[in-house]
Amino acid sequence: MASSSAAAATYRCAECGADLNLTAAQLYPEGVYFEAGNKGTLSFSWVDESRLRFAPEDKIRPFFETLNYWGIQRKRTRISCDACGRLLGYVYDDGPPAMDGTGQFGMGPSQVIPRRPRYRIKTKAVTVVNPPATAPYR
């Protein structure tokens, strides 16, 4: 996952400063492909559900996230700060497969295979505490 120096970084709500119990160690590695994209967000593999509020969202209207992730009906879950209620991001079902296998009819991964949740948090909704130290420029 993340390096040990980056693992010290923790994230708080940008609105109220509440500790969200999120660390860089829980981030998916850089470069992991997600069907719903990853622009302007941090993708966590785990979150502390006691510090967040979750609300299902079901909209029937066209949406276009990426070339491969679009549709008419969007079902996702909103993630909000439990302390102040600010929208932090959404839970998507496009994480890594939750089981080993070759997919439907042996043709590779598909949405038929259950996937782990991906907690997609907006970078503007959180602040970093104890950011990793950067090497001095020489």
Side-chain angles (χ1 to χ4, degrees):
M1 289 264 185
S3 68
S4 60
S5 64
T10 59
Y11 298 89
R12 293 182 174 268
C13 176
E15 184 80 19
C16 67
D19 181 12
L20 301 173
N21 198 19
L22 296 173
T23 66
Q26 298 151 345
L27 286 168
Y28 280 108
E30 261 187 74
V32 173
Y33 172 78
F34 296 107
E35 290 179 357
N38 210 23
K39 187 176 181 181
T41 61
L42 299 167
S43 293
F44 290 89
S45 59
W46 175 89
V47 297
D48 183 354
E49 294 185 4
S50 69
R51 312 254 175 136
L52 304 169
R53 287 186 220 159
F54 297 91
E57 183 179 90
D58 190 2
K59 292 184 179 180
I60 298 180
R61 72 173 197 224
F63 69 91
F64 301 93
E65 290 278 343
T66 66
L67 187 60
N68 296 325
Y69 193 74
W70 60 273
I72 301 296
Q73 182 178 14
R74 169 183 279 173
K75 289 186 177 185
R76 61 184 181 182
T77 304
R78 296 170 55 99
I79 305 171
S80 302
C81 175
D82 193 38
C84 69
R86 178 181 179 163
L87 175 65
L88 299 174
Y90 297 93
V91 180
Y92 287 87
D93 64 350
D94 64 349
M99 56 185 263
D100 292 328
T102 56
Q104 189 177 24
F105 308 118
M107 297 182 184
S110 70
Q111 291 295 358
V112 174
I113 293 178
R115 296 194 173 272
R116 291 187 183 101
R118 173 173 64 116
Y119 302 91
R120 186 177 176 188
I121 307 292
K122 298 176 182 183
T123 54
K124 292 180 179 180
V126 293
T127 57
V128 182
V129 180
N130 300 328
T134 56
Y137 181 74
R138 294 180 191 225

